[in-house]
Amino acid sequence: MTTAFLDVYIGDKAEYDEQSAAYERTNVLLTANYEIYGLPSLPEELSEEQREILTDLNRDKASPLRFAKPPSLLAGRLVFSLDPAAGLAKTRTNFLTLCRGDKGMCKHAPNKPLHYLGSPVHRIVRGFIAQGGDVTRGDGSGGESIYGGKFNDEKDGLKKEVKMGSLAMANSGKNSNSSQFFVVLANDSASWAKLKGKYVVFGEVIEGMDVLDKLDAVGASNGVPVEKVWIGGCGVLG
């Protein structure tokens, strides 16, 4: 069985990075001074009085300290089982290669890696789908396959049944597959019927159904997520 994974992150990455940097500064300052002042070695163990001591030792007043790790933005990992059918080889290879990121840079966007890592999940329609994989523009208007542009639909995928957790290629019409994909959030047959036969289905979620719920929670009827969502890790498991 061929499996791939996407680690999904939800939240304000810039704010998280800023908080992480503040926590790291605190650790560095504490490591240099805890023995001298008889302080605990971990920021979380400092009392209010001890925090004040460390704050006084911080010479860079423009860079505040943080005494606890910021909450992780990792929503969880989606693990996909990919359909092994020979008739889906091109679609499967495209997705696996983009998960590995071992093909270098995009042909039509040379400054962008041909890799899902760091790319946003730019469209989440609540109760329907979560779409990502635009490795060139990040907003759904771009994308590029490992074959240098777009590639044709593989008929085996158009025949597959759709269900909650199905993994399919997003497209802008017939034979227009690139790097963009979507995962089905819908749990009703009426929604599934809207997708069947129009998109190449080539896998399904086998671990991380709870992540689909988290994605759905930040979705909206217009498809614009209420929080930033991105792929912070990806790869092939087997």
Side-chain angles (χ1 to χ4, degrees):
M1 179 172 65
T2 302
T3 56
F5 72 90
L6 301 175
D7 289 334
V8 178
Y9 287 72
I10 300 175
D12 189 327
K13 188 175 185 298
E15 181 181 12
Y16 176 80
D17 289 345
E18 183 179 323
Q19 292 175 350
S20 295
Y23 180 71
E24 181 59 28
R25 284 195 301 273
T26 305
N27 268 301
V28 170
L29 185 62
L30 184 58
T31 298
N33 290 283
Y34 79 94
E35 289 184 335
I36 299 172
Y37 292 91
L39 302 174
S41 60
L42 297 176
E44 291 84 353
E45 296 177 354
L46 295 171
S47 66
E48 286 298 326
E49 183 179 353
Q50 290 168 334
R51 290 183 179 188
E52 289 179 8
I53 293 172
L54 201 65
T55 300
D56 288 341
L57 292 171
N58 181 27
R59 296 180 180 178
D60 185 2
K61 301 304 180 185
S63 300
L65 302 181
R66 183 182 176 91
F67 299 96
K69 288 182 179 180
S72 174
L73 300 183
L74 176 62
R77 172 171 288 189
L78 290 172
V79 179
F80 301 97
S81 172
L82 304 189
D83 192 316
L88 283 168
K90 198 165 187 177
T91 304
R92 187 173 58 249
T93 299
N94 182 63
F95 186 79
L96 291 171
T97 303
L98 286 159
C99 284
R100 286 194 299 263
D102 55 4
K103 282 290 186 180
M105 309 304 281
C106 292
K107 180 179 179 181
H108 300 292
N111 62 327
K112 300 287 186 178
L114 200 59
H115 196 190
Y116 285 141
L117 184 65
S119 65
V121 179
H122 64 271
R123 180 171 179 250
I124 305 176
V125 181
R126 182 169 289 178
F128 193 45
I129 64 164
Q131 182 174 333
D134 183 347
V135 296
T136 59
R137 295 183 180 177
D139 60 4
S141 65
E144 183 176 311
S145 77
I146 64 169
Y147 311 112
K150 300 181 186 298
F151 65 99
N152 291 347
D153 299 329
E154 291 187 296
K155 292 182 179 179
D156 282 17
L158 296 175
K159 298 174 184 176
K160 287 182 65 67
E161 295 295 326
V162 178
K163 61 182 180 180
M164 184 177 183
S166 288
L167 172 65
M169 295 302 297
N171 63 46
S172 55
K174 186 177 180 181
N175 298 324
S176 61
N177 302 290
S178 60
S179 53
Q180 291 194 50
F181 64 88
F182 66 84
V183 183
V184 178
L185 305 177
N187 197 21
D188 64 280
S189 57
S191 296
W192 302 340
K194 294 177 182 178
L195 299 169
K196 185 179 178 182
K198 298 178 182 177
Y199 304 93
V200 175
V201 179
F202 63 101
E204 62 182 75
V205 174
I206 56 172
E207 293 179 27
M209 294 300 284
D210 61 311
V211 182
L212 298 187
D213 294 333
K214 294 176 183 178
L215 286 169
D216 197 52
V218 296
S221 58
N222 66 358
V224 180
V226 297
E227 292 191 65
K228 296 290 186 183
V229 185
W230 75 96
I231 298 167
C234 54
V236 177
L237 297 173

